[in-house]
Amino acid sequence: MPSMNRPMRRTRLGLLSLLALLTGAPSPTWAQAPAALKNQAKAAAAKAQAKTAQTPQTQELSDALKAPRPKGGEYFGLYLMDKKVGWFFTDLTVLPGNKAQSINELIFKAQVGTRVSERVHREVRVYEAKPGGKLLSFTVTQRGDGGDNELVGTVTGDSLRVVRKRPGQPDEMLKPMPLPKETVEDADQARVALLRGQKVEGVALDGTDLEGYRTVTTVEAPEEQVLGGVKVKLSRVSTLSDKEKVPVAAFLTTDGKMVRVDFGQTMQARAESESVAKRMDLVEVFGLTRVVLPKPLPAKAREVPGQVKLVMKNLPEKFQQDTYRQKYQRLPDGRVEVTLIAAPPSPKGRVARPVADPDGGENLKSTLAVEADAAAIKAQAKSIIREEKDAYTAARMLSAWVYSNLQKDYGASADRATDVLRQKKGDCTEHSLLTVAMLRASGIPARRVDGVIYMVNSDGVPALYWHEWVEAYVGEWTQLDPTFNQPVADATHFYVGYEGNAEITPLIGSLQVTDVK
């Protein structure tokens, strides 16, 4: 169990991004392939078509199934800052009855404090095998960190029906959802683009939130690399998802084998044999991903009101947006000085609940994870705040209840608010998830915040560790930290994004703090 003196940020940051791009969703693609590569792809396609003609098919196969790929699927080792933290397997095959099946499985394993955390995520999807073939069904299975959970989806008539299954719990039929727009080509956009020699666009149904996201794959200039001591030319392709918003570069051989995928500068997937892929390092991720400071933060950083200044290096310009808590000043040498500010919301700005969402309702939604409409969530929130009308007072009451009633336990993670409420234990993500769900259930717009928080761990090194807390709209935005019982998150919190925003993953291992003021 990790020390209670450190943030318990679940180290899933970026892994679900990888999952959405490579496991059960579009893979990186080519376009504008070199002439030789196009000719080879066309020859392979013609061979596949000839083979198909000899089998009892009643319709043409999708390009996703015609394209060449390694037989039996592909295994990859997953590396974070050159340390192996997991592996994944992916395959796409033809089934009898003019159907196709994609199988994608990811295993993540790392040491967090004194415990070993392991997450298994497996997706099986079935499509029509014809060009533009529809997604017909899927099974998403998750075990380990985050809780055991299975989603079984089936297209029925004009809607998608999903059943959620959990050990020891009755099966739950979710509300009917719109038909998914994902097609069989979206199961392997990379090889489809190679076969067609052009950019590919599609929609991927995310296996974690069941929302559809536009995904585009394009080709970049090929590169020469050394594989097994031999210099070879590889196609370099790029994928961009509207959810992840992080360009992912993949490198492929002329016969359709994907040899490497780069997720920014610090995360990488490498093609390996099954036995090598499953051989993992035991990495202590808190120490690996922390941002070491040149000196401790001053005491004023923990005061409310309070503030502190950090001089940062390698912070991309898109993150340098002034907010009510963070102000940026660019320095001549390319670094940036950020002022972190903590203050309670103005009494004059506070309003009674229910509160209108300034973002049009997004921060009041009930989702697969933030189950604000669940009866248990609503009942618990009401029992805490009762008839309290002031939104900020109610928000503080909910946050304080979560702090007092959730056991700090990394090994009891859960990805659904109702599971957190039932278990009453978890790390910072569970504290934030349950708080946000109850805030929304109480008519208070809220969202989970990702960033880093200041800690001096047992080794005595002052550093920023990845963490998650809460932002609520109570007439103006304010931040609370239910993990540490802070009704105003102090100035040791540096925000970089919101939960599920993979844009922050390139900061891991890259962001540096050169001075503290």
Side-chain angles (χ1 to χ4, degrees):
M1 177 177 177
S3 166
M4 292 304 101
N5 293 322
R6 67 197 306 174
M8 295 169 290
R9 166 65 185 159
R10 179 158 63 246
T11 317
R12 59 189 282 273
L13 199 59
L15 291 175
L16 294 184
S17 310
L18 178 151
L19 190 62
L21 289 166
L22 286 180
T23 51
S27 301
T29 0
W30 305 289
Q32 305 171 358
L37 194 57
K38 289 183 181 179
N39 292 337
Q40 184 169 349
K42 290 178 180 178
K47 184 177 179 181
Q49 287 178 307
K51 183 177 180 180
T52 301
Q54 300 172 8
T55 60
Q57 295 288 337
T58 60
Q59 60 186 18
E60 183 184 1
L61 286 176
S62 162
D63 287 345
L65 298 166
K66 295 176 184 178
R69 66 169 43 81
K71 187 176 181 180
E74 298 171 280
Y75 282 90
F76 296 83
L78 181 64
Y79 293 81
L80 178 65
M81 297 173 65
D82 212 33
K83 299 291 185 180
K84 197 170 193 179
V85 294
W87 60 269
F88 66 91
F89 169 80
T90 180
D91 195 17
L92 178 65
T93 56
V94 179
L95 296 178
N98 300 310
K99 295 181 180 179
Q101 175 179 269
S102 71
I103 299 176
N104 298 276
E105 185 171 13
L106 180 143
I107 284 77
F108 167 70
K109 188 175 183 179
Q111 185 172 337
V112 261
T114 59
R115 305 181 75 160
V116 175
S117 173
E118 184 170 10
R119 172 176 288 241
V120 178
H121 189 104
R122 177 182 171 86
E123 298 194 6
V124 179
R125 303 190 182 206
V126 176
Y127 306 84
E128 296 173 331
K130 65 182 180 181
K134 299 176 182 178
L135 175 64
L136 301 174
S137 65
F138 62 82
T139 300
V140 179
T141 304
Q142 181 176 294
R143 300 192 309 275
D145 180 45
D148 294 351
N149 185 70
E150 186 173 77
L151 298 173
V152 180
T154 306
V155 170
T156 304
D158 60 354
S159 65
L160 173 66
R161 303 300 178 108
V162 180
V163 178
R164 179 186 176 203
K165 301 181 179 183
R166 293 173 290 177
Q169 300 291 316
D171 289 353
E172 176 188 359
M173 178 69 74
L174 305 184
K175 294 179 181 179
M177 302 178 183
L179 289 174
K181 296 181 180 180
E182 180 176 327
T183 68
V184 65
E185 286 80 18
D186 296 319
D188 194 346
Q189 285 192 359
R191 294 176 175 91
V192 171
L194 171 63
L195 199 62
R196 297 175 180 174
Q198 62 185 18
K199 180 174 69 173
V200 173
E201 297 186 18
V203 176
L205 183 71
D206 185 79
T208 61
D209 62 17
L210 300 186
E211 297 282 347
Y213 297 94
R214 177 175 174 268
T215 304
V216 180
T217 55
T218 54
V219 147
E220 300 175 354
E223 296 186 10
E224 284 192 345
Q225 296 188 16
V226 177
L227 297 178
V230 178
K231 184 178 291 186
V232 296
K233 179 173 285 189
L234 299 176
S235 292
R236 177 187 171 109
V237 301
S238 178
T239 296
L240 186 64
S241 162
D242 278 357
K243 179 180 182 180
E244 312 305 333
K245 301 177 183 177
V246 177
V248 175
F251 301 85
L252 304 99
T253 62
T254 56
D255 59 356
K257 180 180 180 181
M258 193 174 295
V259 297
R260 200 181 89 221
V261 184
D262 292 344
F263 304 85
Q265 298 180 346
T266 57
M267 183 174 289
Q268 187 178 88
R270 304 171 189 171
E272 296 174 340
S273 67
E274 180 179 359
S275 59
V276 173
K278 293 181 177 180
R279 193 185 311 144
M280 290 187 285
D281 303 330
L282 192 57
V283 180
E284 204 294 300
V285 291
F286 281 156
L288 180 67
T289 60
R290 68 183 180 180
V291 180
V292 175
L293 301 180
K295 61 183 179 182
L297 295 188
K300 65 181 180 180
R302 295 201 180 278
E303 298 174 359
V304 178
Q307 70 174 47
V308 67
K309 293 185 179 182
L310 304 176
V311 178
M312 296 184 171
K313 183 179 179 181
N314 300 330
L315 181 67
E317 187 174 328
K318 65 180 179 180
F319 292 101
Q320 300 176 31
Q321 305 296 320
D322 284 353
T323 70
Y324 66 100
R325 282 185 58 99
Q326 297 176 187
K327 307 296 181 183
Y328 298 87
Q329 180 180 351
R330 297 176 190 174
L331 303 179
D333 58 2
R335 296 181 300 166
V336 60
E337 180 182 275
V338 54
T339 301
L340 306 180
I341 306 164
S346 167
K348 293 182 179 180
R350 288 158 52 172
V351 297
R353 61 183 187 90
V355 185
D357 182 7
D359 292 336
E362 186 69 22
N363 302 301
L364 286 169
K365 283 175 57 176
S366 182
T367 68
L368 193 61
V370 185
E371 300 163 298
D373 284 347
I377 298 294
K378 288 183 173 181
Q380 186 61 65
K382 184 171 178 58
S383 72
I384 295 167
I385 61 176
R386 298 186 182 277
E387 303 303 320
E388 177 58 56
K389 292 299 183 182
D390 181 73
Y392 180 52
T393 301
R396 293 178 61 178
M397 294 168 70
L398 293 170
S399 181
W401 186 92
V402 170
Y403 168 79
S404 299
N405 288 273
L406 260 63
Q407 178 185 341
K408 311 301 186 283
D409 186 350
Y410 186 94
S413 300
D415 288 342
R416 307 285 184 263
T418 53
D419 289 339
V420 179
L421 180 59
R422 188 180 70 257
Q423 294 178 177
K424 289 189 173 62
K425 57 176 67 174
D427 60 36
C428 65
T429 56
E430 281 67 48
H431 285 67
S432 299
L433 175 57
L434 181 55
T435 303
V436 167
M438 291 198 297
L439 283 165
R440 292 185 183 183
S442 304
I444 303 173
R447 52 199 179 195
R448 291 177 283 167
V449 175
D450 279 337
V452 288
I453 185 175
Y454 172 66
M455 287 284 169
V456 178
N457 205 3
S458 56
D459 60 5
V461 176
L464 302 176
Y465 290 86
W466 292 96
H467 185 52
E468 184 173 287
W469 59 101
V470 171
E471 188 170 49
Y473 188 77
V474 296
E476 59 185 81
W477 286 108
T478 187
Q479 293 186 6
L480 312 90
D481 191 334
T483 305
F484 297 111
N485 198 27
Q486 295 185 1
V488 176
D490 66 30
T492 70
H493 294 68
F494 175 59
Y495 147 86
V496 289
Y498 297 108
E499 170 65 15
N501 184 350
E503 288 182 278
I504 69 178
T505 57
L507 297 178
I508 299 176
S510 175
L511 182 65
Q512 297 178 30
V513 176
T514 61
D515 196 9
V516 173
K517 300 180 179 179

